Amino acid sequence: MTTKTPRRARYHWRAHTMLLILLVVMVYPLVWMLGASFKPEAQIFTTINPLPLHLTIANYLGGWTQTGTSFTVYLANSIMISAVVVVANNFSCSLAAYGFARLDFAGRKIWFALMLGTLMLPFQATLIPQYAIFYKLNWINTFLPLVVPYFLAYDAFFIFLMVQFIRGIPRELDEAAELDGAGHVRVFRTIILPLLRPALITTTVLTFIWTFNDFLRQLVYLSDNSRYTVPLGLNAFIDRASGSSFGGMLAMSVVTLVPTIAVFLIFQKRLVDGVANTGIK
């Protein structure tokens, strides 16, 4: 049985101390937000102590309808949009990934390179052209601009993720199915799709979190308060003219964390496995 030398013991003590300090720095804003949501609004910014001296749930009761629309509407809109985008992303990106990974067609490498090139384009570069298209289609102030593009393999990141995963599946499985008379649709449905499950779960978790927390796209396309999502609903608490309601905003921010944290905790293990198995380091 080996024992640590004094030098190694000091090194581990310093490393653990540094990690503990970093943990406190990272967790403190969340703890402060949770504690401040239970404080009277007049006491929120009076101290850095995250613990409320006078516990109250008035921020939650008042904040739920303080914007003129029930926060339930914002949550329902965000969850519905996120769920549809998750389904669309998994469906379209898996089909596109199968095409790039398994099918031989003219210009495949060029199209794949162009697809990867779109990852380097900032969203702001395509915002105005997309807005012009959706305006002509009369889709502004509807959910269609937020969900329809994802049915067309819009997200190149997840296509690349699934391509990497499919390339790790032995082609012998495809060839054995083809000898039994299976076409590409059946090979994809019965062989590739079941084995693609870790990548699909990774896509589900990341897509849900990114879509649920998206602010800019929803701000651009939605203008009716009844169609607002959670990020826009939280922004409605900030009113530079008549004053902001920080108590209600903090309370609803805590409520907003629940769906994303729940999704992450449920799929945490499978998310790690999916990222590891796709070759993304």
Side-chain angles (χ1 to χ4, degrees), residues 158-170:
F158 293 112
I159 298 176
F160 173 71
L161 183 146
M162 294 186 188
V163 166
Q164 294 295 98
F165 192 93
I166 294 175
R167 285 175 176 172
I169 299 175

Side-chain angles (χ1 to χ4, degrees), residues 33-197:
M33 181 179 69
L34 178 62
S37 68
F38 290 100
K39 293 180 179 180
E41 187 154 357
Q43 299 178 7
I44 291 178
F45 298 108
T46 58
T47 176
I48 62 173
N49 181 12
L51 301 179
L53 300 179
H54 303 286
L55 192 68
T56 178
I57 60 172
N59 294 328
Y60 289 88
L61 298 177
W64 203 267
T65 57
Q66 194 163 354
T67 62
T69 301
S70 174
F71 207 79
T72 305
V73 175
Y74 303 147
L75 285 172
N77 290 340
S78 285
I79 291 175
M80 181 187 68
I81 292 173
S82 300
V84 174
V85 171
V86 164
V87 173
N89 242 3
N90 279 313
F91 173 75
S92 61
C93 292
S94 61
L95 287 175
Y98 177 78
F100 281 122
R102 286 294 196 259
L103 303 184
D104 293 322
F105 55 90
R108 182 181 66 170
K109 293 183 178 179
I110 296 176
W111 287 112
F112 187 69
L114 289 174
M115 184 271 295
L116 290 180
T118 61
L119 290 172
M120 304 177 189
L121 283 175
F123 167 70
Q124 293 79 2
T126 59
L127 179 60
I128 295 178
Q130 287 180 355
Y131 185 89
I133 294 173
F134 295 139
Y135 180 81
K136 291 292 184 181
L137 294 173
N138 199 27
W139 285 3
I140 303 303
N141 199 31
T142 70
F143 296 148
L144 294 177
L146 302 175
V147 299
V148 170
Y150 293 94
F151 283 98
L152 306 174
Y154 174 77
D155 205 322
F157 172 78
F158 293 112
I159 298 176
F160 173 71
L161 183 146
M162 294 186 188
V163 166
Q164 294 295 98
F165 192 93
I166 294 175
R167 285 175 176 172
I169 299 175
R171 282 184 175 268
E172 288 78 4
L173 298 176
D174 303 25
E175 296 169 356
E178 291 171 359
L179 290 175
D180 290 337
H184 287 298
V185 174
R186 186 176 174 186
V187 169
F188 174 76
R189 180 172 56 85
T190 60
I191 296 177
I192 300 299
L193 204 57
L195 296 176
L196 196 60
R197 186 177 178 183

Side-chain angles (χ1 to χ4, degrees), residues 12 18 110 134 145 153 167 170 176 181 191 236 239 241 244 255:
H12 285 287
M18 182 60 67
I110 296 176
F134 295 139
R167 285 175 176 172
I191 296 177
D239 191 337
S244 303
V255 173

